[in-house]
Amino acid sequence: MFQNKTILDLIQRYRLVWAVGHASAVLNWDFETYMPPEGTRARAIANSELALLRQRFTLSLKELVGQAEKEDASLNEEEKGVLRVLKRQLDYYEKVPPELIEKLSKTRAEANQVWRIARKKSDFQSFKPHLEKLIELKREEAEKIGYEKHPYDALLDRNEEGLRTDDMDSIFEKLIPNLKRILAKVQKERTYPKRHELESVKYDKRVMESVNNSILNILDMPNETRFRMDISTHPFTTGFSLNDVRITTRYEGKDFRASMFATMHECGHAIYGLQVSQDLEYTPISGGASGGIHESQSRFIENVVGRSRDFSKVVTPMLKSKFKFLKKYDAEDLYYYFNLVRRSFIRVDADELTYNFHIAIRYQIEKQILGGEVSVSELPSIWSEKFKDNLGIVPKTDSQGVLQDIHWSGGGFGGFPSYTIGNVVDGMIWNNIRKEIDLPKTIRTKDIKKIKAFLGNKIHKWGSTFAPKDLLRKEFGESYNPDWLVQYLEQKYVG
Ligand code: MG
């Protein structure tokens, strides 16, 4: 796999960077799960020192990376991947001065605190100056990173390697009119209900835990050997190594599908982390290809598998045996409960069909604001306009609107599009997996290993050997093509 001497040297020296990343991951997992709240300050200090250490160790690889670049022509795919990923990391540290990174992290911390209160009070005015400052700094960052066409491109590329506004513009140009058409049809025919009485039914937490454990069994997770599940407010997945991947889930006490699908979503991320080739362990390419590709894996398990009719059939007997309140429901009822379709204000509550409207709105706003076309004071009114145009509804308060997401308070501009990329890639996987296996039958017979093998071979095993678009072209012959997502949704919702 790795033969080039310079690359082998690089991988050896990278171990220090890897070890710091490993330690930070354990600290963050502990912070989100078991740490008592008063540990917060010490943990923040430790984390920021570790981040500096990581930066210093990465920069110390510069000379070797330069050497490897000269040997580029003789490198194999994995070796090229190592070089590409390290160059990207170095590039950021070299272009963006430490003062700007520090200013950003300070402003972020302040803005986030103000945002928490502003969201509760629905008070955009108090958050406004902080958001203005953050946007100014992000523009400065974009200038330092550099771009060809649009300043937003610089930020998009940081989040999703190779992604440009041109990609997102053409994705949404195709997606939005089609989603509007499908949604109108679903609402007219009322095939998929807006509400379900099970949404308000309470569950016993211990029973829900046992449901989630059954889900882990169905998904054949290597529980207690290379994987574990804990609890946190916001579910997430983290990998300390390729043989120690953790997820968390949540228990809100009612509407049991939320906990079940959070578990499935995180399992999708975890399966990715567990199926990267063991040869890549401790190297710069042992992580996933990108946030968007990672999200495609979580959403494939959550939506394409988990919210399918066949999966409902598979889990219904198990669910009925555990939840006594499901006595009068059959698999078909549960399928519709898992797939309610409604136009809503809050992104994280959105269903599969309306979710991408929420991302389109944020994408367009981020692009305009980074491009200097609109000012921060105009955001609430632009938000309302875009909601009306896309979903036909207007939020009554800023808490339900522009203040709802944590992302902007953390300076996370350029991050939202990865969610839509995940859905678009799922359409492509759905199109391709059916050429090799009978997907409904595979789900119905709980032969999940087959699905995992397909995803492992096409995507997981490579880690980040290839940049996202190159990976897709290599495996599926095209990069982001939203047509398949439209076809998938069309077949599911109005087929
Ligand atoms: Mg996710």
Side-chain angles (χ1 to χ4, degrees):
M1 174 138 315
F2 298 108
Q3 286 142 14
N4 178 282
K5 200 187 152 300
T6 314
I7 296 290
L8 285 169
D9 267 7
L10 263 177
I11 290 172
Q12 187 53 40
R13 299 223 354 232
Y14 179 80
R15 219 165 245 239
L16 222 49
V17 181
W18 175 86
V20 174
H22 177 85
S24 307
V26 179
L27 294 187
N28 282 323
W29 172 82
D30 172 69
F31 171 78
E32 299 284 348
T33 50
Y34 297 109
M35 196 186 81
E38 302 233 337
T40 303
R41 194 174 151 70
R43 188 55 49 89
I45 292 171
N47 269 329
S48 80
E49 291 297 331
L50 284 177
L52 285 175
L53 209 56
R54 195 181 163 119
Q55 178 176 357
R56 190 161 4 117
F57 289 160
T58 308
L59 282 167
S60 78
L61 301 175
K62 193 183 163 196
E63 215 171 294
L64 261 184
V65 167
Q67 178 59 38
E69 251 186 299
K70 286 185 207 142
E71 300 164 25
D72 191 18
S74 65
L75 302 181
N76 65 30
E77 281 173 335
E78 287 85 2
E79 292 167 344
K80 277 189 207 298
V82 168
L83 179 59
R84 189 190 91 256
V85 168
L86 285 177
K87 266 170 68 180
R88 238 174 100 72
Q89 289 177 14
L90 279 173
D91 191 53
Y92 181 79
Y93 288 140
E94 283 182 340
K95 285 180 174 165
V96 184
E99 306 84 64
L100 180 56
I101 296 181
E102 213 189 308
K103 236 195 252 174
L104 260 166
S105 99
K106 238 183 106 186
T107 312
R108 227 181 253 145
E110 286 164 9
N112 183 268
Q113 269 183 350
V114 175
W115 167 77
R116 278 172 203 281
I117 301 163
R119 185 173 70 158
K120 260 189 207 138
K121 296 185 182 164
S122 198
D123 173 18
F124 182 72
Q125 287 309 314
S126 67
F127 181 53
K128 200 185 109 182
H130 296 271
L131 189 55
E132 275 167 346
K133 207 168 154 195
L134 265 177
I135 286 164
E136 202 180 296
L137 292 173
K138 290 307 273 188
R139 276 206 200 107
E140 206 180 317
E141 190 188 26
E143 293 303 324
K144 297 282 184 201
I145 294 170
Y147 52 88
E148 275 171 25
K149 275 176 85 174
H150 198 288
Y152 190 35
D153 286 335
L155 303 186
L156 280 179
D157 185 81
R158 284 309 306 169
N159 279 286
E160 196 72 28
E161 188 176 355
L163 185 66
R164 298 290 178 269
T165 44
D166 282 348
D167 295 307
M168 289 318 293
D169 287 339
S170 73
I171 286 173
F172 284 128
E173 232 164 77
K174 278 193 178 166
L175 214 47
I176 296 302
N178 279 301
L179 291 176
K180 282 184 179 170
R181 178 177 54 80
I182 298 171
L183 180 62
K185 217 169 161 198
V186 166
Q187 293 196 313
K188 195 169 155 240
E189 292 172 2
R190 294 196 192 160
T191 33
Y192 286 79
K194 278 194 231 171
R195 303 204 172 273
H196 199 283
E197 55 192 10
L198 283 172
E199 284 179 87
S200 54
V201 174
K202 292 189 178 129
Y203 59 74
D204 182 300
K205 193 187 145 208
R206 274 167 314 166
V207 181
M208 188 72 232
E209 275 173 352
S210 114
V211 166
N212 282 336
N213 281 321
S214 298
I215 294 288
L216 300 186
N217 284 335
I218 294 171
L219 296 179
D220 195 28
M221 302 307 289
N223 217 1
E224 310 296 333
T225 54
R226 303 169 62 213
F227 167 88
R228 59 175 282 138
M229 175 168 73
D230 293 88
I231 301 169
S232 69
T233 323
H234 304 286
F236 69 99
T237 301
T238 183
F240 302 155
S241 76
L242 299 179
N243 294 302
D244 183 356
V245 176
R246 317 272 177 105
I247 69 163
T248 65
T249 192
R250 57 178 178 176
Y251 296 97
E252 290 130 317
K254 61 169 193 173
D255 196 9
F256 77 89
R257 63 189 180 140
S259 178
M260 182 177 123
F261 285 109
T263 303
M264 291 195 80
H265 180 98
E266 299 311 327
C267 279
H269 283 302
I271 293 166
Y272 195 166
L274 290 161
Q275 294 205 122
V276 170
S277 163
Q278 295 279 331
D279 296 328
L280 306 184
E281 182 77 302
Y282 318 127
T283 75
I285 54 172
S286 67
S290 70
I293 302 292
H294 236 295
E295 202 57 20
S296 75
Q297 300 309 293
S298 55
R299 283 163 194 246
F300 194 84
I301 298 297
E302 177 192 351
N303 291 331
V304 183
V305 175
R307 290 186 213 268
S308 68
R309 243 191 185 93
D310 296 282
F311 196 77
S312 295
K313 284 182 194 149
V314 164
V315 289
T316 297
M318 179 271 287
L319 290 170
K320 283 175 78 86
S321 76
K322 294 182 194 284
F323 287 137
K324 295 297 163 241
F325 57 78
L326 290 181
K327 209 167 172 210
K328 61 171 179 173
Y329 301 99
D330 62 16
E332 193 68 359
D333 296 326
L334 291 183
Y335 171 70
Y336 287 110
Y337 165 56
F338 296 157
N339 287 287
L340 305 180
V341 175
R342 65 172 167 244
R343 298 173 298 165
S344 61
F345 297 121
I346 306 296
R347 175 183 60 87
V348 295
D349 298 335
D351 54 79
E352 215 182 351
L353 192 52
T354 58
Y355 190 86
N356 291 297
F357 288 116
H358 293 263
I359 302 304
I361 291 166
R362 286 156 179 80
Y363 164 73
Q364 288 158 8
I365 291 179
E366 288 190 352
K367 186 181 166 194
Q368 287 177 328
I369 205 142
L370 261 298
E373 292 166 51
V374 299
S375 70
V376 172
S377 2
E378 292 170 275
L379 283 191
S381 61
I382 291 172
W383 187 278
S384 297
E385 253 168 57
K386 291 198 184 292
F387 249 81
K388 185 139 199 248
D389 177 41
N390 280 282
L391 283 152
I393 50 175
V394 179
K396 287 190 190 73
T397 65
D398 287 336
S399 296
Q400 280 190 328
V402 70
L403 287 173
Q404 68 180 266
D405 298 303
I406 193 172
H407 301 55
W408 288 350
S409 80
F413 300 94
F416 284 117
S418 291
Y419 298 125
T420 289
I421 291 293
N423 293 327
V424 166
V425 172
D426 276 347
M428 296 168 68
I429 295 171
W430 172 80
N431 173 47
N432 281 281
I433 198 170
R434 293 179 308 152
K435 294 172 189 167
E436 290 185 23
I437 63 175
D438 179 342
L439 192 57
K441 189 180 158 209
T442 307
I443 296 172
R444 220 163 36 236
T445 52
K446 292 197 212 175
D447 200 0
I448 303 295
K449 278 198 182 93
K450 259 192 199 155
I451 297 172
K452 285 164 81 169
F454 179 91
L455 298 173
N457 270 322
K458 296 287 180 190
I459 309 230
H460 304 167
K461 71 173 182 194
W462 298 111
S464 38
T465 301
F466 303 103
K469 284 182 187 171
D470 294 334
L471 176 66
L472 296 175
R473 274 191 214 107
K474 175 179 155 56
E475 298 296 348
F476 305 133
E478 57 186 350
S479 84
Y480 314 127
N481 180 356
D483 292 346
W484 303 115
L485 174 62
V486 172
Q487 257 196 50
Y488 159 75
L489 292 170
E490 182 126 40
Q491 224 181 81
K492 173 165 177 177
Y493 288 94
V494 292

